[in-house]
Amino acid sequence: MKKTVVIDVVGLSSNLIGKYTPFLEQYVKTRNLNSIAPMLPAVTTAVQSTYLTGKLPTDHGIVGNGWYDKTDAEIKFWKQSNKLVQAEKIWDRAKKENPAFTCSNMFWWYNMYSNADYSATPRPNYLADGRKMPDCYTDPAELRDLLQNKLGQFPLFQFWGPGANIKSSKWIADASMLTDAQYDPTLTLVYLPHLDYCLQKFGHDFNLIGDELNQIDGVLKELINYYESKNANIIILSEYGITPVSNPIHLNRIFRDAGLLQIRVERGLELLDAGASKAFAVADHQIAHVYINDSTVIKKVKTILEEIPGIGLILDKEGIQAHGLEHERTGDFVLVADAQSWFTYYFWLDDAVAPDYARCVDIHKKPGYDPVEMFMSSKPRAAYKLLRKKAGFRYIMDVIPLDATLIKGSHGSANTPAEFQPVLITDSNINQENINATQVYDVIWKALNL
């Protein structure tokens, strides 16, 4: 077996490697830099599941970062059980080949309750009084104490939300090296999310993201120097690249105007009732799954979709099958935004009656992905909320704006220009310039030399 580390630098594309990433720029000069053809959907959980199984969503079942659970009649995002992935993972196969093989999964998604030997993932504590405390979940459980005793509490509020910054990626990198020093696993998977934040907020404005690129370059230098000292095979890759966008599309508002959405009013605020709606959309960056509960409106829905500017592709049953997305979790239609557009989850028509979670960082309650959670509506308001927290008063951190035009970068589409495509950097010579997402599995497997 050959010790191997796979470093997932989220959002990294070839156009970002240059003067702001001096270490990586020099590193790739003596390595092989390939593009990975974006898969559909090009979103975190689906792509990672494909890299780790060698299968498409049809087989592994991860059709997005979230989907509509038809049994519970609920939209669920960012669940964490590895049992949701319905195909064999690379570490399961490796253990069959060689029982001495071990795996460390450091923050790749669906990290809980897998057969990986060592793992860590974000997992806040939700207290009875409504507070959310930063924390992480590890297996074995004592790894959590080891990491947090040495590195401090996992910086959850720097992992996502308006406070997201390099601290979370640095913590994960340091935790990966500590775990390696403690257990010496054969395969280590490292997740570095930093670029995801700034690229969605600012697009490719190097005046705004130059420092962010330099910061992740420094973290990469530490990681690579460490694993080179361990004589490990090093694979650097990304799940997707971020493309510039300027046009948010509010699908559920359009469906509401067409009489397809069911809205509940509670405490004067509106909530989407997916189970009672005739049709609704689950937005996930540049991808949206449209679920239809009333088969009599299928033609109406398709007609509506065909008239919405900014939709680049409408996949029906045949299109879904052709793109490797046929699965019980998939919507009746799958939409792909055009190059300048992305989909919001917004369903209210008046901000005054938006649900309370809309102005909070609340990835589990929102019926769709919300990148605007990276912005803060008012720093003085946030300071006031934090003051209440420190004083011991009850508080709600409702500081997230409701302006989707703030977002300048997105991903999800497979139709991505070459300079924005995800990358694969290895020592191995791959005899093709552009590889498919399913082939990444083979690259990792070959590096392990089992």
Side-chain angles (χ1 to χ4, degrees):
M1 294 187 297
K2 176 67 173 176
K3 187 177 182 67
T4 299
V5 58
V6 182
I7 305 172
D8 180 2
V9 188
V10 182
L12 184 65
S13 51
S14 59
N15 72 307
L16 299 175
I17 301 173
K19 70 175 184 176
Y20 296 105
T21 57
F23 171 78
L24 192 55
E25 184 180 31
Q26 290 300 313
Y27 183 80
V28 298
K29 287 181 179 179
T30 57
R31 272 76 180 179
N32 293 291
L33 172 62
N34 297 81
S35 293
I36 303 172
M39 62 170 277
L40 197 67
V43 298
T44 297
T45 60
V47 176
Q48 287 187 9
S49 296
T50 290
Y51 288 174
L52 295 178
T53 65
K55 306 293 184 181
L56 290 174
T58 291
D59 295 311
H60 61 59
I62 307 303
V63 300
N65 294 318
W67 53 82
Y68 178 60
D69 186 316
K70 296 172 184 176
T71 302
D72 284 344
E74 293 178 0
I75 298 167
K76 298 179 179 179
F77 262 74
W78 303 110
K79 309 306 287 184
Q80 297 214 57
S81 171
N82 193 260
K83 299 181 189 303
L84 291 167
V85 186
Q86 299 170 343
E88 182 183 60
K89 291 75 177 182
I90 196 166
W91 55 79
D92 292 320
R93 178 186 173 192
K95 287 172 182 290
K96 292 176 183 176
E97 295 281 337
N98 190 331
F101 171 92
T102 56
C103 177
S104 171
N105 186 346
M106 303 303 291
F107 288 78
W108 283 46
W109 213 255
Y110 300 119
N111 204 331
M112 296 177 67
Y113 317 122
S114 80
N115 291 327
D117 300 272
Y118 319 106
S119 61
T121 195
R123 190 68 167 179
N125 278 317
Y126 294 96
L127 305 185
D129 63 2
R131 288 179 295 157
K132 180 168 63 176
M133 302 296 291
D135 208 339
C136 62
Y137 177 96
T138 69
D139 185 22
E142 58 267 23
L143 176 59
R144 169 181 172 271
D145 299 325
L146 169 69
L147 297 178
Q148 296 199 138
N149 286 339
K150 289 182 177 291
L151 303 176
Q153 191 176 53
F154 173 66
L156 180 74
F157 300 135
Q158 283 74 50
F159 182 80
W160 182 248
N165 60 33
I166 194 63
K167 289 182 181 178
S168 58
S169 290
K170 179 68 166 64
W171 196 99
I172 293 169
D174 289 342
S176 301
M177 291 183 284
L178 281 171
T179 302
D180 184 83
Q182 181 76 11
Y183 301 110
D184 191 26
T186 316
L187 172 65
T188 296
L189 305 165
V190 183
Y191 179 68
L192 301 180
H194 182 63
L195 293 182
D196 216 12
Y197 315 141
C198 61
L199 290 170
Q200 290 187 64
K201 290 175 73 173
F202 306 123
H204 290 262
D205 185 340
F206 287 94
N207 292 323
L208 297 175
I209 66 171
D211 287 345
E212 314 288 346
L213 287 165
N214 191 250
Q215 289 171 357
I216 199 67
D217 191 59
V219 172
L220 273 172
K221 181 178 180 180
E222 287 184 63
L223 269 176
I224 290 170
N225 286 342
Y226 172 84
Y227 281 102
E228 284 183 336
S229 75
K230 300 294 182 179
N231 194 31
N233 276 333
I234 298 172
I235 299 171
I236 301 171
L237 51 75
S238 52
E239 306 152 7
Y240 46 77
I242 306 289
T243 58
V245 294
S246 57
N247 178 44
I249 302 173
H250 312 293
L251 292 168
N252 281 322
R253 288 177 173 173
I254 295 170
F255 288 163
R256 179 174 178 170
D257 286 338
L260 298 171
L261 224 60
Q262 180 66 44
I263 300 296
R264 295 172 61 89
V265 178
E266 298 183 3
R267 296 174 293 109
L269 303 178
E270 295 185 345
L271 297 172
L272 171 63
D273 191 343
S277 296
K278 293 181 179 180
F280 60 93
V282 175
D284 193 359
H285 301 82
Q286 290 182 305
I287 298 292
H289 289 262
V290 176
Y291 296 90
I292 297 175
N293 291 324
D294 182 349
S295 61
T296 66
V297 302
I298 292 177
K299 289 184 179 179
K300 178 179 180 179
V301 169
K302 188 169 185 181
T303 299
I304 291 170
L305 295 175
E306 290 171 343
E307 295 175 353
I308 299 175
I311 296 180
L313 191 62
I314 302 170
L315 300 180
D316 55 14
K317 184 176 181 180
E318 290 73 23
I320 288 168
Q321 185 176 22
H323 284 80
L325 271 168
E326 186 180 22
H327 194 274
E328 63 181 1
R329 296 168 177 165
T330 305
D332 296 276
F333 294 104
V334 174
L335 312 180
V336 184
D338 67 19
Q340 294 78 38
S341 304
W342 64 281
F343 300 117
T344 79
Y345 80 95
Y346 296 179
F347 55 83
W348 58 91
L349 305 179
D350 180 355
D351 286 351
V353 294
D356 55 1
Y357 58 66
R359 292 182 173 87
C360 299
V361 176
D362 202 333
I363 63 172
H364 299 301
K365 285 186 180 177
K366 293 181 180 180
Y369 172 70
D370 184 12
V372 187
E373 288 186 345
M374 291 182 291
F375 290 87
M376 189 176 292
S377 58
S378 168
K379 289 185 178 180
R381 179 178 175 81
Y384 167 70
K385 295 287 184 176
L386 288 172
L387 185 62
R388 288 184 62 86
K389 174 183 178 181
K390 291 177 181 179
F393 294 106
R394 291 183 65 85
Y395 67 97
I396 298 176
M397 287 298 291
D398 50 348
V399 297
I400 304 303
L402 303 180
D403 180 7
T405 63
L406 290 168
I407 298 301
K408 304 303 178 187
S410 191
H411 60 91
S413 171
N415 185 23
T416 305
E419 66 268 28
F420 300 130
Q421 291 184 357
V423 296
L424 176 69
I425 303 167
T426 68
D427 288 325
S428 304
N429 185 24
I430 300 172
N431 295 320
Q432 55 188 106
E433 184 176 339
N434 195 283
I435 71 169
N436 295 322
T438 54
Q439 293 175 295
V440 171
Y441 175 97
D442 300 319
V443 173
I444 300 171
W445 184 260
K446 183 178 179 181
L448 290 168
N449 193 34
L450 287 161

